[in-house]
Amino acid sequence: INSINWARLMAQIVYFFWAYLQLEKREKVSFIVPSGNFGNIFSAHAAHQMGLPIEKLHIVTNKNDILNQIILLGKMKIDKVLETYSPSMDIQISSNFERQIFESVNYDSIAVEKIMNKFKNDREYEFDESIIKKFQKIYNSTSVSNEKTLETIKKFKEKYNYLADPHTATGLSVLDNIKADHSFISLACAHPAKF
């Protein structure tokens, strides 16, 4: 089952609920999700719509940061793919993001088709301010450099004896700088031996 199959998203929804149930204090929670194809973070959004008390969803990208640019600036633009230590996030067109666009344009499939056709033809698309605000109401976003990824792997190994893979490390770098009044969960992505 690939990452754009709805069955995969349904399975991912479950572990957001599972993660929440591991917390001692079950109030609100925020999730940090390293993302390339947007499926995992959209599953978290679906979990929120099903009643999970999520305060905020935080997308983390590497320097191939199209998702970060969309959330921050509303700019969806195909660019050159840069080599990173987190290759599963080296994605220019996040196939699951189309699901978020569909929701954000009030489930208007004609509008989505126009957006995606313009994006395909022009290799870029700029969302209007009202849509950007809808994105930002749900998601925060950060781009993490290769250097910061390596620093985070080293720091978490030394401080917690936890060896993170490079994808997980992008999320941990954000978690490491958060000061909040509620629980944050940063998702792990793969076993470090994979890399």
Side-chain angles (χ1 to χ4, degrees):
I1 298 175
N2 67 24
S3 62
I4 60 170
N5 189 306
W6 183 247
R8 173 138 167 204
L9 273 66
M10 288 191 299
Q12 290 173 321
I13 289 167
V14 173
Y15 63 68
F16 286 99
F17 281 94
W18 182 86
Y20 175 72
L21 292 172
Q22 307 314 300
L23 297 173
E24 285 182 26
K25 200 173 181 182
R26 292 191 192 138
E27 297 174 349
K28 58 188 175 183
V29 63
S30 291
F31 286 94
I32 300 167
V33 184
S35 191
N37 210 23
F38 203 76
N40 209 355
I41 192 91
F42 190 78
S43 297
H45 176 52
H48 180 232
Q49 291 177 312
M50 294 169 68
L52 192 62
I54 295 174
E55 180 71 13
K56 201 71 175 180
L57 295 173
H58 201 114
I59 300 166
V60 187
T61 67
N62 57 27
K63 60 185 177 179
N64 293 299
D65 66 344
I66 187 168
L67 285 173
N68 185 48
Q69 293 300 314
I70 293 169
I71 302 304
L72 293 181
L73 307 171
K75 293 180 181 177
M76 188 163 64
K77 182 178 180 182
I78 297 174
D79 212 341
K80 182 181 177 186
V81 176
L82 303 169
E83 188 175 331
T84 70
Y85 297 132
S86 46
S88 294
M89 296 161 67
D90 293 343
I91 293 173
Q92 290 294 304
I93 302 174
S94 300
S95 53
N96 279 291
F97 193 70
E98 203 168 330
R99 299 181 197 273
Q100 185 58 60
I101 296 170
F102 182 57
E103 179 187 307
S104 299
V105 297
N106 300 316
Y107 308 100
D108 182 345
S109 58
I110 303 299
V112 174
E113 184 179 10
K114 286 179 182 174
I115 289 167
M116 296 311 291
N117 283 339
K118 182 163 177 44
F119 178 54
K120 183 181 176 183
N121 292 333
D122 298 348
R123 298 177 57 85
E124 62 184 294
Y125 184 85
E126 194 160 334
F127 292 97
D128 64 44
E129 194 63 33
S130 65
I131 301 297
I132 297 169
K133 284 180 181 174
K134 286 182 181 181
F135 295 157
Q136 291 175 351
K137 187 175 180 183
I138 304 166
Y139 308 103
N140 285 342
S141 182
T142 302
S143 176
V144 177
S145 69
N146 274 336
E147 295 74 26
K148 186 66 175 172
T149 299
L150 293 180
E151 284 172 23
T152 304
I153 292 170
K154 183 174 188 285
K155 181 176 184 178
F156 274 73
K157 179 62 177 164
E158 290 173 351
K159 192 171 181 180
Y160 303 106
N161 196 29
Y162 175 75
L163 182 59
D165 75 275
H167 302 77
T168 300
T170 62
L172 292 176
S173 71
V174 172
L175 180 66
D176 197 39
N177 291 305
I178 283 179
K179 292 173 178 61
D181 62 350
H182 65 282
S183 297
F184 270 74
I185 297 174
S186 184
L187 268 62
C189 299
H191 192 284
K194 183 178 178 183
F195 302 94

